[in-house]
């Protein structure tokens, strides 16, 4: 199962990376004499209401969603690791402060916070900047979960017999951290990364549906899903006649499903 | 056989069933009304709310375009056009039962003319008529102007009469506000003191209530209409209209070319917090003309509106046959000519990038209201058209209240794509747009004195047409206004879309009109059939 998920994810990533060759314009070119066309040899997934190639937009969207969601997850995990390790290693006011910040962040309705922060971005920023800011916000807001897990992991690891022995022999704290603690925490961090990446993929899709994600004319799976809105309103029959509109949803389900399958069920340091 | 003939005769000769009383008319508005104060209503939902809840002295019949008595039972204009006298209808009452008096008329007039209120109608009237004096005497009220005013009575269709007591939420319209849940809905209740009666002498309106749901998502609005939750839907977008027609729904009606226009404009306000370089571009006529020439209007009409629109030559739709300047033609896209115009101003175009005379790449943003699919698509198409002349356009859809805030208060935007609704066929109805001192002079509002010679000329021409009693002089003046606007491109007119509406088969008495509120203009006579 895990092999199949890894292969699928690899294929999706390769397809995303090939977007630059298959659709150098990022699916932004409007073929105004070919609006709302069904799939054909020229347009494998048809065209949208502006005559843009849906297949090209799907690939360009995949590149954005599949590269930037993991990047945001990496940022969140790195931040969480630094804060979690600091809170785990230290005792006293710093540990309390970091722990309280963590609790507060976890208690916040982060999606609304994300919406508010996203809406504060000036309206005239270039689409690539808004894209980076969106994913950076996701990364910056997602640190609390990993930090809490890492802090618990640090506490557990520090109580392990071999670490206690090392500390009793007077090993330097930096050596304990880099040689022993971080390798012990690595599977935990990898697990956090694999758990967060699909969450961020879905968060971008949610933002896209609300019109606050990646801005036009760039494509992302989030803003491509927006097209489903009007078809869904027309009823299930319309959806059956326009099955190709489900492609971004399929991409999203396959990639998030694969990431969840790859994430370890239980990670103990 | 004789029975059949008898039955036919009965069916043909029998009077139609009387309208049913009661029920709640349910419709959606795309944005929350910005104000319940009818004197400052400038957005469509606020104007609709004002129409439903407030009375005016004279109402323009939206079908015949002729003024009809409303709270005033009659009026008389002086031969020199410098005064008008109204006789207040004895039965005219506010929703609290208090009679409408000449003092209320003078109070309302004074209120809209108060510069601090920034009333669109007040600005226009002050601009056209100069000082206005109001003399109340029992049921008669005489209003005198400094300058003669053509079709003076038509101005009063836009001036809601409020009680001089200053009571809030009290109007003399067919309904009054019962409940307002911000962001959700407004419920209007029947005004039991409304003056109008039907042919049988029964009190109007027939409906007990009107509920306006704030429903930004037009897809959901259409879905609710199809389910029968909403009784009417205005301004159907072309996709929705085609979908209703494809389902064979007789409820989708196309009224042909509307009086509305879709246009974009550049922010030329000196108060705008945008870089001076951008202000410089936006104030350059050739720059605006080049942008106008780069846009493929026929593509906008064909792709976005599926042919349910006409490329625009100017502010006046061809549907307004009386006032449209027929010598103007919609510009045909010509990127080469656009670049030639820009080069003449020192702009350079190389490697697909347009740079200004100081070497800065030409980039700007355009705001439009989020959720309006047609406008979002038009903006995306304009983005590609402008890319052909090296301009990078960033599209920023904003929720409607934020957009209005930017274009009317903070002026923090580069350009805007929006529609202008045709609320009156007469040019006087657009004084609040064309006068440089007006609040709705969107590209540079509230000017103390005209910023450019051509704006000064427009001011003069608008005054001329407002004061002239000769229709030919008025037409000549307004034709010239349209020609100046086409040449200077302060508004870049894109298309005039067709007016398309949806009406539930349950809703009776509807007489769709091009003028707003298209389906609700005769709301006192609408009723729901069970």
């Amino acid at each position: 199962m895990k092999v199949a998920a890894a292969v699928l994810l690899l294929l999706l990533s390769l397809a995303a990376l090939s977007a630059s060759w298959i659709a150098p314009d990022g699916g932004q070119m409007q073929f105004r004499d070919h609006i709302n066309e069904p799939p054909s040899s020229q347009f494998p997934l048809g065209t949208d209401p502006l005559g843009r190639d849906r297949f090209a937009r799907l690939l360009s969207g995949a590149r954005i969603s599949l590269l930037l969601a993991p990047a945001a997850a990496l940022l969140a995990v790195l931040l969480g690791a630094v804060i979690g390790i600091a809170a785990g290693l230290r005792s006293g006011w710093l540990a309390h402060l970091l722990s309280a910040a963590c609790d507060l962040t976890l208690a916040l309705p982060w999606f609304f916070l994300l919406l508010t922060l996203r809406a504060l971005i000036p309206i005239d920023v270039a689409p690539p900047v808004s894209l980076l800011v969106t994913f950076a916000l996701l990364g910056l807001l997602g640190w609390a979960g990993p930090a809490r897990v890492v802090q618990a992991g640090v506490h557990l690891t520090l109580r392990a017999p071999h670490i206690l022995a090392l500390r009793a022999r007077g090993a330097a704290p930096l050596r304990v951290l880099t040689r022993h603690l971080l390798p012990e925490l690595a599977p935990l961090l990898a697990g956090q990364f694999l758990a967060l990446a699909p969450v961020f993929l879905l968060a971008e899709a949610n933002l896209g549906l609300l019109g606050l994600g990646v801005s036009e004319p760039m494509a992302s799976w989030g803003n491509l899903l927006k097209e489903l809105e009007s078809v869904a309103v027309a009823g299930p029959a319309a959806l059956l006649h326009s099955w190709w509109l489900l492609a971004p949803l399929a991409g999203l389900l396959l990639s998030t499903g694969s990431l969840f399958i790859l994430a370890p069920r239980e990670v103990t340091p | 056989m004789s029975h059949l003939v008898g039955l036919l005769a009965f069916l043909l000769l029998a009077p139609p069933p009387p309208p049913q009383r009661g029920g709640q008319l349910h419709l959606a508005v795309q944005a929350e009304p910005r104000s319940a104060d009818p004197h400052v209503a400038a957005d469509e939902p606020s104007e609709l709310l004002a129409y439903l809840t407030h009375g005016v002295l004279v109402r323009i019949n939206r079908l015949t375009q002729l003024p009809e008595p409303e709270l005033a039972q009659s009026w008389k204009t002086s031969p020199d056009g410098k005064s008008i006298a109204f006789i207040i209808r004895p039965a005219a009452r506010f929703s609290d039962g208090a009679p409408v008096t000449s003092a209320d008329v003078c109070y309302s007039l004074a209120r809209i003319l108060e510069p601090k209120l920034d009333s669109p109608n007040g600005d226009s009237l002050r601009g056209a008529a100069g000082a206005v004096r109001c003399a109340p005497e029992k049921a008669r009220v005489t209003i005198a102007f400094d300058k003669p005013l053509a079709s003076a009575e038509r101005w009063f269709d836009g001036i809601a009469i409020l009680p001089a007591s200053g009571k809030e939420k009290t109007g003399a319209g067919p309904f009054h506000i019962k409940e307002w849940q911000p962001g959700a809905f407004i419920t209007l209740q029947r005004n039991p003191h409304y003056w109008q009666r039907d042919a049988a002498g029964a009190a109007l309106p027939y409906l007990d209530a009107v509920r306006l749901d704030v429903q930004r998502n037009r897809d959901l609005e259409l879905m609710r209409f199809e389910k029968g939750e909403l009784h009417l839907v205005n301004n159907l977008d072309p996709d929705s209209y085609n979908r209703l027609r494809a389902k064979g729904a007789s409820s989708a009606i196309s009224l042909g070319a509307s009086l509305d226009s879709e246009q974009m404009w550049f922010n030329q306000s000196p108060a705008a917090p945008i870089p001076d370089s951008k202000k410089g571009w936006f104030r350059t006529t050739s720059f605006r003309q080049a942008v106008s020439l780069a846009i493929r209007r026929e593509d906008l009409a064909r792709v976005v509106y599926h042919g349910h629109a006409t490329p625009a030559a100017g502010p006046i739709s061809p549907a307004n046959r009386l006032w449209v300047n027929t010598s103007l033609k919609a510009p045909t896209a010509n990127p080469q000519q656009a670049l030639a115009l820009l080069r003449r101003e020192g702009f350079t175009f190389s490697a697909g990038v347009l740079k200004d005379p100081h070497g800065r790449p030409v980039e700007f943003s355009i705001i439009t209201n989020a959720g309006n699919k047609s406008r979002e698509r038009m903006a995306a198409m304009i983005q590609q058209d402008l890319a052909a002349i090296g301009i990078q356009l960033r599209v920023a859809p904003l929720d409607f209240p934020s957009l209005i805030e930017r274009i009317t208060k903070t002026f923090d935007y580069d350009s805007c794509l929006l529609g202008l609704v045709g609320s009156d066929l007469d040019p006087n109805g657009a004084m609040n747009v064309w006068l440089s001192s007006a609040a709705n002079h969107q590209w540079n509002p509230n000017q103390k004195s005209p910023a450019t010679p051509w704006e000064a000329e427009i001011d003069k021409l608008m005054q001329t047409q407002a004061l002239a009693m000769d229709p030919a002089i008025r037409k000549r003046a307004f034709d010239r206004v349209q020609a100046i606007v086409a040449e200077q491109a302060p508004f870049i007119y894109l298309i005039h879309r067709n007016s398309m509406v949806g009406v539930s088969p349950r809703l009776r008495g509807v007489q769709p009109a091009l003028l707003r509120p298209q389906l609700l203009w005769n709301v006192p006579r609408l009723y729901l059939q069970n």
Side-chain angles (χ1 to χ4, degrees):
Chain A
M1 192 73 169
K2 288 207 174 197
V3 176
V7 170
L8 190 61
L9 211 53
L10 187 69
L11 286 175
L12 283 170
S13 305
L14 283 175
L17 289 171
S18 69
S20 310
W21 289 281
I22 295 172
D25 65 355
Q28 294 176 19
M29 177 60 74
Q30 296 161 5
F31 301 93
R32 295 180 181 175
D33 291 326
H34 298 275
I35 58 167
N36 281 324
E37 284 189 357
S40 63
S41 55
Q42 191 186 355
F43 304 112
L45 286 175
T47 56
D48 72 3
L50 291 176
R52 296 178 297 195
D53 183 352
R54 281 205 176 95
F55 183 63
R57 290 182 72 72
L58 183 74
L59 291 184
S60 303
R63 191 172 47 183
I64 287 169
S65 299
L66 288 180
L67 294 183
L68 287 177
L74 191 65
L75 176 64
V77 170
L78 285 177
L79 265 175
V82 170
I83 294 167
I85 289 172
L89 286 179
R90 291 280 176 165
S91 55
W93 68 270
L94 182 65
H96 283 301
L97 183 73
L98 292 175
S99 201
C102 198
D103 288 342
L104 182 69
T105 312
L106 281 172
L108 285 174
W110 70 271
F111 191 70
F112 291 103
L113 191 64
L114 181 65
L115 281 180
T116 311
L117 291 173
R118 179 62 184 78
L120 289 177
I121 300 175
I123 56 169
D124 58 348
V125 295
V129 177
S130 84
L131 172 76
L132 288 175
V133 170
T134 303
F135 281 97
L137 282 175
L138 282 171
L140 290 172
L141 291 174
W143 63 271
R148 168 67 73 225
V149 176
V150 169
Q151 186 187 6
V154 170
H155 282 307
L156 266 178
T157 311
L158 287 179
R159 284 202 292 271
H162 63 290
I163 301 289
L164 284 174
L166 272 171
R167 292 171 74 187
R169 275 189 300 203
L174 190 64
R175 185 183 163 82
V176 174
L177 176 71
T178 54
R179 293 287 178 86
H180 299 278
L181 200 57
L182 282 180
E184 297 266 358
L185 291 173
L188 190 72
L189 296 174
Q192 285 299 304
F193 170 78
L194 288 170
L196 273 184
V199 172
F200 288 169
L201 262 176
L202 291 171
E204 188 282 321
N206 280 327
L207 284 174
L209 270 172
L210 293 168
L212 286 170
V214 175
S215 53
E216 289 268 4
M218 290 178 87
S220 77
W221 285 355
N223 63 25
L224 290 180
L225 278 173
K226 216 176 167 190
E227 236 189 303
L228 273 179
E229 228 176 30
S230 49
V231 183
V233 167
L239 208 55
L240 283 176
H241 289 115
S242 328
W243 55 266
W244 51 90
L245 293 181
L246 294 170
L249 184 65
L252 196 65
L253 287 175
L254 288 174
S255 51
T256 50
S258 300
L259 283 165
F260 274 122
I261 289 170
L262 287 175
R265 296 247 163 80
E266 191 181 340
V267 183
T268 45
Chain B
M1 186 67 183
S2 62
H3 288 296
L4 189 63
V5 172
L7 180 65
L8 275 173
F10 172 77
L11 289 174
L12 291 171
L13 298 175
Q20 290 187 1
R21 284 200 162 275
Q24 177 174 266
L25 178 70
H26 205 162
L27 64 141
V29 287
Q30 280 77 60
E32 178 108 22
R34 284 175 58 79
S35 173
D37 184 340
H39 290 166
V40 295
D43 54 302
E44 202 180 333
S46 302
E47 284 173 355
L48 175 63
L49 187 63
Y51 191 97
L52 295 172
T53 55
H54 290 279
V56 291
L57 292 174
V58 175
R59 188 61 92 189
I60 305 294
N61 181 309
R62 265 50 177 173
L63 274 187
T64 64
Q65 294 295 323
L66 296 172
E68 289 179 350
E70 181 89 357
L71 297 179
Q73 65 182 12
S74 64
W75 65 86
K76 195 172 179 189
T77 312
S78 66
D80 63 358
K82 285 190 165 182
S83 75
I84 183 166
F86 294 99
I87 304 294
I88 310 288
R89 190 182 293 279
R93 293 274 185 285
F94 288 106
S95 54
D96 61 358
V100 176
T101 64
S102 52
D104 297 322
V105 174
C106 289
Y107 163 77
S108 303
L109 203 55
R111 190 167 181 265
I112 69 151
L113 290 168
E114 177 61 51
K116 276 185 196 162
L117 189 71
D118 208 13
S119 163
N121 285 319
D123 290 346
S124 307
L125 184 60
R126 205 171 40 242
V132 178
R133 293 168 301 281
C134 186
E137 39 178 312
K138 293 184 181 168
R140 182 188 165 92
V141 59
T142 307
I143 298 161
F145 315 108
D146 259 5
K147 305 172 197 168
L149 209 53
S151 310
E153 69 280 0
R154 298 184 81 96
W155 287 90
F156 292 87
D157 176 73
I159 302 172
I161 304 303
L162 300 182
S165 60
K167 268 190 191 172
E168 284 184 14
K169 294 184 184 175
T170 306
F175 297 92
H176 63 92
I177 297 174
K178 183 188 173 197
E179 189 182 2
W180 187 331
Q181 288 287 338
F185 65 87
I186 302 169
T187 306
L188 309 178
Q189 197 170 34
R190 182 176 184 276
N191 173 5
H193 306 286
Y194 188 58
W195 64 271
Q196 218 177 83
R197 291 179 177 273
D198 67 7
L204 294 175
Y206 294 126
L207 294 163
D208 277 344
V210 176
R211 180 177 155 122
L212 308 172
D213 281 354
V214 180
Q215 177 79 70
R216 288 182 177 85
N217 187 322
R218 298 228 68 193
D219 287 326
L220 289 178
E221 184 187 356
L222 189 69
M223 187 172 74
R224 294 180 66 197
F225 173 72
E226 286 180 279
K227 277 183 175 175
E229 283 179 25
L230 301 179
H231 297 116
L232 57 89
V233 52
N234 271 309
N235 309 326
L236 276 175
D237 64 49
D239 286 349
S240 307
Y241 175 78
N242 284 350
R243 201 165 84 213
L244 285 181
R245 296 299 292 182
K247 284 186 177 175
S250 57
S251 53
I253 304 165
S254 176
L255 308 174
S258 71
L259 299 167
D260 305 344
S261 55
E262 295 288 323
Q263 71 256 36
M264 67 174 282
W265 71 87
F266 291 105
N267 182 1
Q268 298 184 51
S269 168
I274 58 173
D276 287 342
S277 56
K278 284 186 177 175
K279 284 183 188 171
W281 306 338
F282 301 161
R283 285 178 190 156
T284 305
T285 304
S286 300
F287 180 83
R288 299 192 300 268
Q289 288 171 334
V291 168
S292 176
L293 269 173
I295 296 171
R296 296 179 186 276
R297 289 167 174 78
E298 64 283 7
D299 280 1
L300 299 181
R302 182 175 55 82
V303 174
V304 178
Y305 288 89
H306 307 309
H308 297 298
T310 313
I316 304 301
S317 158
N320 187 348
R321 292 196 188 95
L322 196 61
W323 290 101
V324 66
N325 182 342
T326 48
S327 68
L328 300 174
K329 302 287 172 240
T332 307
N334 189 336
Q336 291 312 314
Q337 201 183 334
L339 281 171
L341 277 172
L342 290 164
R343 284 195 185 103
R344 227 177 287 157
E345 293 293 333
F347 287 82
T348 54
F349 177 68
S350 68
V353 177
L354 183 74
K355 290 184 176 169
D356 74 2
H358 301 285
R360 285 178 289 245
V362 178
E363 303 172 351
F364 59 85
S365 61
I366 188 162
I367 57 174
T368 190
N369 54 322
N372 186 316
K373 273 189 288 188
S374 301
R375 286 194 189 128
E376 286 180 1
R377 286 176 188 165
M378 276 201 287
M381 291 181 74
I382 293 169
Q383 193 173 44
Q384 180 163 308
D385 289 344
L386 295 191
I389 59 166
I391 294 177
Q392 195 182 1
L393 179 67
R394 290 168 190 148
V395 180
L398 293 176
D399 64 287
F400 202 62
S402 311
L403 183 137
I404 295 292
E405 183 82 9
R406 281 179 192 263
I407 64 173
T408 59
K409 289 191 176 143
T410 65
F411 304 112
D412 186 9
Y413 71 101
D414 294 340
S415 66
C416 180
L417 169 61
L418 214 59
L420 192 70
V421 298
S423 54
D424 191 357
L425 293 179
D426 195 281
N428 281 341
M431 290 290 266
N432 60 351
V433 172
W434 297 120
L435 293 181
S436 60
S437 58
N440 285 348
H441 191 73
Q442 298 296 0
W443 67 89
N444 185 5
N446 303 318
Q447 296 174 35
K448 288 200 171 76
S449 60
T452 59
W454 56 268
E455 282 174 284
E457 191 183 350
I458 289 180
D459 281 1
K460 208 172 147 190
L461 288 162
M462 286 307 288
Q463 299 281 4
T464 304
Q465 71 77 28
L467 303 177
M469 295 291 146
D470 180 351
I473 295 173
R474 295 190 69 205
K475 175 78 169 96
R476 252 199 318 276
F478 195 57
D479 274 357
R480 176 70 190 134
V481 169
Q482 293 172 68
I484 294 171
V485 171
E487 186 191 317
Q488 296 293 333
F491 283 136
I492 296 173
Y493 287 94
L494 303 170
I495 53 101
H496 301 290
R497 60 187 175 77
N498 286 2
S499 182
M500 294 172 285
V501 295
V503 185
S504 159
R506 278 193 65 206
L507 185 62
R508 303 295 172 87
V510 175
Q511 292 181 288
L514 284 177
L515 284 178
R516 281 177 166 75
Q518 295 148 320
L519 296 173
L520 291 172
W521 69 271
N522 61 338
V523 68
R525 293 173 191 278
L526 299 186
Y527 61 95
L528 290 166
Q529 188 81 45
N530 287 326

